Amino acid sequence: MANDLRVAFIGAGNMAEAMISGIVKTGTLEPRQVTATNRSNADRLLELHNEYGIQGIMRDKLQLSSYDVIFLAMKPKDAESSLLSIKDHIRPDQVVMSVLAGISTEFMEEHLNDGQQVIRVMPNTSSMLRESATAISPGQNVTMKNVKLAKSLLSSIGEVYVIEEDQMDLFTGIAGSGPAYFYYLMEHIEKTAHENGMDVQQAREIGAQTILGAAKMMIEREETPTELRQNVTSPNGTTAAGLDALNENGGGTAIKAAIEGAMNRSKEITEQLAKVTVQ
Ligand SMILES: NC(=O)C1=CN([C@@H]2O[C@H](COP(=O)(O)OP(=O)(O)OC[C@H]3O[C@@H](n4cnc5c(N)ncnc54)[C@H](O)[C@@H]3O)[C@@H](O)[C@H]2O)C=CC1
Ligand SMILES: O=C(O)[C@@H]1CCC=N1
């Protein structure tokens, strides 16, 4: 990665930190190449500076023209005002990459000047450990060079998939929000283990290793998830009893509902913002 590339994060919350951690700790960018900014929380910027060595600058002091890449990492409700606030301070050769759920490239392009390069990005917080599943959908003005830049920058936080934008809400339901489903699963593993007399910390280690092992099997082995599941399931054995209970209690239905719930919320954010903008 070019050692004069400069990247700014507008919004310095959980997602920005997870990405900064991955980008800086892999040495993809030197800390001096990364700046984070927020509206008013100077303590938070100092915390990020102390942890990662990056610059923390208050939003009103940020010289936007000095950055090649501007990541938007605030909440979706603040997207419109943020886009309007950067609009006349950036050049078309700079690329705006937004990680905001439900914010389309069309919405970004409409709120920026003609020809502005934008890329919609959906990472997840496993960026912190360089294990994100990240999707990108380029806007209509973006150059191939900047798509390549996005891919190589984001590959420092995990795997990168270039997808059609109409799949972005679904991707958000599976991967952007996805880590939370596994944490929720784990919370229930711990609770059940505790109720049955096991130490919570020990249950957490055992549960996490089981999830990790299953994830690696699905990535590294050729068998399908169905075949892998069948290999665990002895006739009339313990797994069959567990899976029966899962099915009887709506396990599959609950997983589908979770993904579609998040996907629909992403679509709803897009629709709500479109309405506000039209009014
Ligand atoms: N947390 C996650 O797992 C993921 C979050 N995202 C997206 O990332 C975005 C941020 O989410 P989190 O980091 O979880 O939220 P957060 O609440 O932790 O952070 C938001 C940050 O934006 C700052 N901010 C708000 N308005 C601003 C403005 N106008 N100018 C500068 N800074 C401003 C806030 O001070 C705060 O630092 C959201 O849009 C979300 O959809 C995307 C993928 C995963
Ligand atoms: O919950 C949210 O809206 C964000 C987007 C994907 C993960 N977290």
Side-chain angles (χ1 to χ4, degrees), residues 11-272:
N14 292 315
M15 194 57 241
E17 178 172 2
M19 295 177 78
I20 290 166
S21 170
I23 289 170
V24 170
K25 289 196 171 165
T26 48
T28 303
L29 295 180
E30 299 280 332
R32 64 173 170 78
Q33 296 175 271
V34 181
T35 299
T37 180
N38 63 19
R39 268 182 305 204
S40 55
N41 189 345
D43 289 347
R44 171 66 177 159
L45 298 179
L46 185 62
E47 188 181 298
L48 292 175
H49 168 74
N50 289 340
E51 182 66 27
Y52 305 103
I54 64 159
Q55 297 185 75
I57 300 182
M58 219 54 105
R59 175 67 187 89
D60 55 350
K61 299 275 184 303
L62 187 72
Q63 289 289 336
L64 282 165
S65 59
S66 318
Y67 297 90
D68 304 280
V69 177
I70 296 156
F71 275 107
L72 300 184
M74 71 289 301
K75 292 289 187 194
K77 69 175 173 53
D78 296 312
E80 184 169 15
S81 58
S82 298
L83 287 164
L84 294 175
S85 78
I86 66 170
K87 177 177 171 160
D88 293 325
H89 303 278
I90 53 175
R91 304 175 307 272
D93 62 290
Q94 293 173 281
V95 56
V96 178
M97 299 190 195
S98 158
V99 305
L100 282 60
I103 303 299
S104 64
T105 55
E106 191 185 353
F107 183 87
M108 288 190 269
E109 285 161 357
E110 271 172 11
H111 289 80
L112 295 170
N113 287 323
D114 288 351
Q116 187 64 55
Q117 298 188 56
V118 305
I119 302 182
R120 182 170 172 184
V121 178
M122 181 48 59
N124 67 33
T125 46
S126 306
S127 303
M128 184 80 79
L129 299 178
R130 303 178 290 285
E131 293 290 357
S132 177
T134 304
I136 62 173
S137 295
Q140 57 178 339
N141 305 313
V142 80
T143 59
M144 202 31 90
K145 184 170 162 252
N146 275 333
V147 173
K148 277 193 189 153
L149 171 67
K151 279 199 233 168
S152 77
L153 190 57
L154 294 165
S155 65
S156 70
I157 58 166
E159 296 296 323
V160 182
Y161 311 92
V162 182
I163 65 169
E164 293 296 330
E165 192 165 0
D166 62 7
Q167 301 275 291
M168 209 33 128
D169 301 308
L170 174 60
F171 185 93
T172 302
I174 297 171
S177 299
Y181 313 149
F182 294 96
Y183 300 137
Y184 184 79
L185 170 65
M186 193 64 183
E187 288 174 69
H188 284 80
I189 291 174
E190 282 180 16
K191 184 167 178 286
T192 308
H194 182 65
E195 282 165 6
N196 286 277
M198 188 184 277
D199 171 66
V200 167
Q201 186 56 40
Q202 189 179 22
R204 186 173 305 171
E205 280 174 33
I206 294 168
Q209 176 58 36
T210 305
I211 295 172
L212 178 70
K216 282 192 167 173
M217 288 291 277
M218 287 187 282
I219 289 172
E220 290 177 24
R221 302 280 307 177
E222 282 179 2
E223 294 98 321
T224 63
T226 302
E227 288 164 340
L228 291 169
R229 174 174 56 74
Q230 285 164 346
N231 292 345
V232 187
T233 313
S234 311
N236 203 26
T238 60
T239 316
L243 288 169
D244 283 350
L246 201 55
N247 275 329
E248 279 162 21
N249 286 280
T253 313
I255 292 165
K256 175 175 155 68
I259 293 171
E260 291 182 351
M263 174 180 80
N264 292 337
R265 177 64 190 135
S266 177
K267 288 183 179 161
E268 193 179 67
I269 292 171
T270 314
E271 283 157 17
Q272 281 171 349

